[in-house]
Amino acid sequence: MISKAQILGKEQSQLVEIDNGFLLLPDVAKAFMALQLAAKKDKVDVQIASSYRSFDRQKTIWENKWSGKTQLLDEHENPVDGSQLTDWEKIQVILTWSALPGASRHHWGTDLDVYDKTSIDASGRRLELVCSEYDKNGPCFKLNLWLEKYAEDFGFTRPYSEYKGGIAREPWHLSYSAISDVILQQLDEVTLLQTLKTSEVLGFSSIETNMSQIYSRFVLNKGKS
């Protein structure tokens, strides 16, 4: 049973360490290692770029973007000047690439971002986790194709495989759906909003005003209605 605190990214006692300190739930770690081994046989070097992320870490990401310390991007990965946006416009731009603290799938221990380390190293590029790396002619294109064909055999889906008007396309994002689908049903709008309020997250006033739309469009990733 996943606790409310763990769903919100405030507790991690059920997680296990895998590959250089990355944390996942035990069943997810086991499934990922099986996927990794199968990919290796096909000469695809699947490595983790990000897995579990705490509420506080997600809050830092959010607030760096809100305050202008981190560059904002639109759904096409083009820079956006946050100083020219209303609070609601800025929230929508941030949410395109970064979840609200408390609402990130990375809190759950079920989701992870992956890349082909050997191909990235050979390219001489620094991993950025941008779509061009996973599209045709990108160093992770072979990985993208392999995941499309085999990820579900190991219990993983890609919840952001296409842009629906909410969260941007993330071909690198894997989710262990047998557990993450259940957790998503346990997450609720009221608890999330109260958590954001008590944590004094920047932009809260506009978040509260637009929470219903945020929850449907971005948290549930239903996109624009």
Side-chain angles (χ1 to χ4, degrees):
M1 180 68 179
I2 306 298
S3 69
K4 186 69 71 174
Q6 187 167 333
I7 292 172
L8 294 168
K10 290 178 171 286
E11 201 272 330
Q12 62 183 66
S13 63
Q14 294 189 42
L15 305 181
V16 296
E17 185 175 327
I18 178 175
D19 286 350
N20 301 316
F22 292 110
L23 299 174
L24 294 168
L25 287 170
D27 286 350
V28 183
K30 182 179 179 180
F32 171 73
M33 287 188 289
L35 177 151
Q36 189 179 46
L37 181 60
K40 184 177 181 180
K41 293 177 181 177
D42 290 334
K43 296 182 169 52
V44 178
D45 182 19
V46 185
Q47 300 296 332
I48 300 174
S50 178
S51 58
Y52 170 76
R53 193 179 302 142
S54 70
F55 179 94
D56 288 341
R57 174 59 185 147
Q58 194 69 27
K59 184 172 183 276
T60 297
I61 292 171
W62 175 270
E63 296 190 340
N64 283 345
K65 291 191 173 185
W66 184 269
S67 64
K69 293 179 181 178
T70 301
Q71 176 67 60
L72 301 182
L73 301 174
D74 66 14
E75 67 272 19
H76 303 295
E77 301 174 354
N78 297 315
V80 176
D81 183 356
S83 68
Q84 302 301 309
L85 305 177
T86 66
D87 283 358
W88 173 225
E89 288 171 339
K90 185 158 60 172
I91 286 169
Q92 293 173 83
V93 172
I94 295 174
L95 287 172
T96 301
W97 290 102
S98 297
L100 282 170
S104 174
R105 298 178 73 106
H106 283 282
H107 293 334
W108 306 343
T110 58
D111 286 50
L112 60 160
D113 300 331
V114 298
Y115 70 109
D116 186 327
K117 185 178 186 303
T118 297
S119 294
I120 285 287
D121 289 348
S123 73
R125 300 167 54 167
R126 179 179 63 85
L127 179 69
E128 297 181 77
L129 289 181
V130 293
C131 291
S132 60
E133 294 171 329
Y134 294 77
D135 292 340
K136 190 174 182 178
N137 299 321
C140 294
F141 182 58
K142 184 177 179 181
L143 166 63
N144 190 7
L145 295 179
W146 193 92
L147 292 173
E148 185 177 329
K149 188 172 183 179
Y150 296 113
E152 291 190 7
D153 292 347
F154 301 90
F156 291 98
T157 56
R158 294 198 283 180
Y160 309 131
S161 60
E162 61 178 315
Y163 176 62
K164 303 175 182 178
I167 296 170
R169 185 168 70 94
E170 294 187 357
W172 51 83
H173 188 123
L174 297 179
S175 183
Y176 191 72
S177 57
I179 302 176
S180 62
D181 287 354
V182 174
I183 293 175
L184 187 60
Q185 296 302 313
Q186 294 176 347
L187 185 64
D188 72 272
E189 186 177 331
V190 174
T191 300
L192 176 59
L193 190 61
Q194 183 59 42
T195 301
L196 294 171
K197 182 178 181 179
T198 57
S199 301
E200 300 182 340
V201 170
L202 295 180
F204 177 77
S205 178
S206 188
I207 292 171
E208 183 177 33
T209 299
N210 297 283
M211 189 61 182
S212 292
Q213 186 176 164
I214 290 170
Y215 200 83
S216 174
R217 182 178 165 192
F218 295 100
V219 178
L220 300 180
N221 197 35
K222 292 183 177 180
K224 294 180 180 178
S225 56

